[in-house]
Every structure is written in structure tokens, then in C-alpha cells.
Amino acid sequence: MKQSIAHVALVVRDYDEALDFFVGTLRFDLVEDTYQPEQDKRWVVVRPRGSAGASVLLARASKPEQEAFIGNQAGGRVFLFLQTDDFWRDYNAMVAKGISFVREPKAAPYGTVAVFEDLYGNYWDLVEFSDGR
């Protein structure tokens, strides 16, 4: 049996502001942006450049109960992990674009890592694994 995670849903306030951040600032690729009239929503999928793995489904909050989770999908813990093949290249580019890092870079037994916030306040690890995982 072969299985994999295809998408991870990220609750967002607005599709276009989320696209501006993920595609414009983080330089992710836009995989799909399709309007679904039967549900009056869009199917918006992004993924890091060069990745063939899981992608992020930008899911606009459609109920007040969902809005409470924008920016807090993991209860204040790191939620997603952005793996890179060159930590310092990407870290410096992200800082230059104004991305807020809440934990500075550090060397860990598994590699180099720093924690940044997305536009809503969700925490992400930027990580370069030392064993090439």
C-alpha cells in the first residue's frame, strides 16, 4: 500500500491576501485557483517552488467558528515545516522581504532551523536537515 498526504488545509481570512503572501512573499507556486460556484468558494492550492510533495490548500473561513482559528491552527505551536536545501539563502531572502522570525536561527542535531510567522501568525519552521531528509 502506498499513501501520502496530498494537501494540508490552512484557514485564511481572504484568498487574495493569502496568495499575495504565499506566492508573492514566500515565492510559492500557485498550483490551482478554481472557483466552485456550487459552494461559492475557491479551491486554491500553493506549494513551495521545486516541491513535488504535499501542498497547502488555502481555505477561506466560511463560518464565524472557523474565523477563530485563523492564525492559531496549532494552538501556538509550530504548525508547518518548510524544508530548504539552503537555509541561509532562504532565511536572508525572507528577512529581506519582511517576514517576521520569532525564533532566531540555531544549529540543532538535525540541522539548521528558525521559526517564522505567516501573515496570520501561524508558526512555521524554516529548516535545512543535516542528513538531507
Side-chain angles (χ1 to χ4, degrees):
M1 175 167 74
K2 182 178 178 181
Q3 296 179 335
S4 63
I5 294 179
H7 310 293
V8 174
L10 182 67
V11 180
V12 301
R13 182 178 19 257
D14 177 80
Y15 295 117
D16 293 323
E17 76 179 2
L19 280 171
D20 185 54
F21 178 79
F22 286 99
V23 175
T25 303
L26 281 184
R27 299 177 15 121
F28 280 24
D29 288 330
L30 175 60
V31 176
E32 185 175 357
D33 184 353
T34 304
Y35 180 64
Q36 298 179 327
E38 66 281 356
Q39 296 178 355
D40 190 30
K41 67 178 184 178
R42 289 160 58 184
W43 180 260
V44 181
V45 179
V46 296
R47 85 164 40 112
R49 286 196 177 160
S51 174
S55 55
V56 178
L57 172 68
L58 302 176
R60 186 190 70 210
S62 59
K63 301 175 188 174
E65 308 85 66
Q66 294 172 354
E67 291 175 6
F69 293 97
I70 296 170
N72 192 28
Q73 288 200 203
R77 294 184 58 99
V78 169
F79 176 53
L80 296 165
F81 300 78
L82 180 58
Q83 181 180 353
T84 178
D85 63 347
D86 186 332
F87 178 88
W88 291 106
R89 174 199 65 211
D90 292 344
Y91 173 80
N92 290 324
M94 291 167 76
V95 167
K97 288 201 168 241
I99 293 175
S100 174
F101 278 83
V102 298
R103 287 189 214 129
E104 293 301 313
K106 71 173 188 172
Y110 54 84
T112 305
V113 63
V115 178
F116 69 95
E117 289 182 304
D118 67 19
L119 76 162
Y120 298 112
N122 293 299
Y123 292 152
W124 294 60
D125 269 0
L126 174 65
V127 60
E128 180 179 1
F129 293 112
S130 53
D131 65 2
R133 292 181 204 192

